[in-house]
Amino acid sequence: MRQNFDIELLPEAVEFLENLDEKTREKIYFNMKKAQFINDNELFKKLNHSIWEFRTLFNNKSYRLFSFWDKTGDTDTLIVATHGIIKKTPKTPPKEIKRAEEIRKQYFDIKLKNE
């Protein structure tokens, strides 16, 4: 079975994951890995034109890692996880989507400067 995309974690996403307990972190990594091979909206869902989320439900808590596609390099399937939250409401908070969009913009601004 072929992997559909690579995942790169930005520092905020790494920090979010490192602050979780080991079992929760392992479950999130497992689901992210699974999402690389199978197309499942329960694991990886599009939120708007540019932002997606990795979704994990574990111990009755909803974890979300926001991400976006980077199609500027040789691999047009790179997912960059921006940051994570523990979701407290049924709807994803708009401010978190906006934050992911801002991180995405910064990412591409920096990338363009370094080319």
Side-chain angles (χ1 to χ4, degrees):
M1 191 182 258
R2 197 173 78 70
Q3 180 177 302
N4 296 320
F5 54 84
D6 291 324
I7 297 172
E8 181 180 320
L9 296 173
L10 294 179
E12 258 188 272
V14 172
E15 186 181 326
F16 171 76
L17 290 164
E18 285 176 351
N19 287 322
L20 298 171
D21 67 88
E22 191 177 342
K23 283 200 181 309
T24 303
R25 187 170 45 246
E26 283 174 5
K27 178 67 174 169
I28 292 171
Y29 278 130
F30 175 82
N31 280 353
M32 288 171 70
K33 191 84 191 142
K34 195 171 164 186
Q36 289 178 287
F37 292 93
I38 62 165
N39 196 355
D40 182 348
N41 267 356
E42 290 305 307
L43 296 174
F44 187 57
K45 183 179 177 186
K46 187 173 189 172
L47 296 176
N48 68 18
H49 64 285
S50 59
I51 303 301
W52 293 65
E53 67 181 359
F54 286 103
R55 305 156 58 100
T56 300
L57 181 63
F58 186 66
N59 286 342
N60 294 322
K61 286 186 182 172
S62 294
Y63 298 89
R64 300 292 187 261
L65 267 176
F66 296 92
S67 54
F68 58 88
W69 295 93
D70 178 352
K71 300 183 179 191
T72 58
D74 297 334
T75 326
D76 70 357
T77 50
L78 179 72
I79 290 287
V80 181
T82 61
H83 71 291
I85 62 167
I86 298 171
K87 221 169 95 169
K88 306 215 180 345
T89 60
K91 219 164 158 36
T92 300
K95 74 176 183 57
E96 296 298 344
I97 296 171
K98 185 145 185 54
R99 184 171 164 204
E101 288 171 337
E102 288 165 7
I103 293 169
R104 178 182 179 273
K105 184 185 177 318
Q106 288 170 357
Y107 170 90
F108 284 115
D109 286 349
I110 291 166
K111 188 168 183 171
L112 284 172
K113 281 182 189 142
N114 293 331
E115 281 182 356

